[in-house]
Amino acid sequence: MPDPIRVLVADDQQLLRAGFRVILESEPDIEVVGEAADGIEAVDLVARTRPDVVLMDIRMPRLDGLSATERLMTLPEPPRVVVLTTFDQNEYVVRALRAGAYGFLLKDAPASRLIAAIRAAASGEALIEPSITRRLIEQFAAPEAEPVGVPAAMRGLTDRELQVLRLMARGLSNAEIAGEMVIAETTVKTHVARVLTKLGVRDRVQAVVLAYESGFVSRRRNATPTEG
């Protein structure tokens, strides 16, 4: 059996930390190795406990979660950070992603989503709430962009990979893409990995933003599953 995912929980509310611990430790593949009440304590505990993933609140005393994340990313082997907050304003999302966060969840997300984000981050994948992905698209994608065939940035993708990218741009999960294309989810994961590698992006959020920015898909034509 593989080693459990080592998680550090950083939040200034003790009751929330305790709740997160209960949720996470109910999973056999996750171990909570520490709790921090502020960003400074989080940075210190990371150095001492070497977690795989840090569950990071944004608003904390002494040092906020985004500044703490930026400090952690300067470490030789930084942990994967999942930002958890009640605030979903664009500026928080953008700064968290630029700092190197692997996930961004709202505190009212279901426990299953939290666990999925931890597992995704530990495996080097990004998991961000669909509503937040849409905010990123709204901010970065040109509103009048029209599909222009296959842009230069996409020409290295196969037809299958282009189809996967279009479905990713609709916000579909790997399981949903598998159902849409009538293929195995493991095959979808392979296609997604190849799309990210060929586009030179870190995660599916960056791939989706690039798809919109390049005009490969547009917000208007990609607004619903029946459009496009």
Side-chain angles (χ1 to χ4, degrees):
M1 182 175 178
D3 292 335
I5 301 168
R6 295 168 56 81
V7 179
L8 174 71
V9 178
D11 194 294
D12 61 337
Q13 298 183 53
Q14 194 276 331
L15 286 176
L16 284 178
R17 295 199 307 273
F20 293 146
R21 178 183 283 273
V22 169
I23 291 170
L24 295 175
E25 291 196 331
S26 68
E27 300 298 314
D29 61 334
I30 298 176
E31 174 189 3
V32 176
V33 297
E35 298 178 19
D38 59 58
I40 291 177
E41 188 176 4
V43 173
D44 179 61
L45 281 175
V46 164
R48 293 195 279 120
T49 63
R50 301 183 65 81
D52 302 305
V53 178
V54 177
L55 186 60
M56 184 79 78
D57 186 25
I58 285 184
R59 291 196 169 180
M60 294 188 292
R62 296 208 295 169
L63 185 70
D64 66 80
L66 297 183
S67 297
T69 298
E70 289 167 348
R71 291 192 186 184
L72 291 178
M73 291 305 107
T74 66
L75 297 175
E77 296 182 6
R80 307 280 168 68
V81 176
V82 174
V83 174
L84 187 65
T85 182
T86 55
F87 306 95
D88 62 348
Q89 290 94 335
N90 289 349
E91 60 268 24
Y92 290 136
V93 180
V94 174
R95 186 177 165 198
L97 292 174
R98 285 176 175 165
Y102 269 77
F104 199 108
L105 296 177
L106 303 181
K107 284 187 176 180
D108 60 0
S112 59
R113 193 73 173 170
L114 171 64
I115 292 165
I118 294 293
R119 289 174 176 154
S123 63
E125 301 176 4
L127 192 156
I128 299 177
E129 291 286 6
S131 62
I132 296 174
T133 301
R134 286 193 295 272
R135 286 175 177 267
L136 286 173
I137 291 169
E138 291 292 326
Q139 177 161 346
F140 291 118
E144 300 302 324
E146 290 289 338
V148 291
V150 180
M154 315 292 172
R155 288 175 187 161
L157 303 183
T158 66
D159 289 343
R160 277 288 201 180
E161 291 162 356
L162 290 170
Q163 186 180 2
V164 167
L165 180 58
R166 288 191 184 95
L167 296 175
M168 288 166 58
R170 275 173 34 191
L172 273 62
S173 67
N174 286 350
E176 291 167 335
I177 293 173
E180 186 90 5
M181 297 178 65
V182 196
I183 58 178
E185 187 174 351
T186 53
T187 303
V188 174
K189 290 180 179 179
T190 299
H191 285 317
V192 170
R194 288 174 178 167
V195 168
L196 301 186
T197 298
K198 290 181 179 181
L199 295 183
V201 296
R202 191 190 72 183
D203 54 53
R204 63 197 300 140
V205 175
Q206 293 180 350
V208 168
V209 170
L210 178 59
Y212 279 90
E213 285 183 324
S214 68
F216 178 62
V217 291
S218 72
R219 289 209 298 272
R220 182 170 65 255
R221 296 190 183 184
N222 216 39
T224 69
T226 60
E227 293 179 312

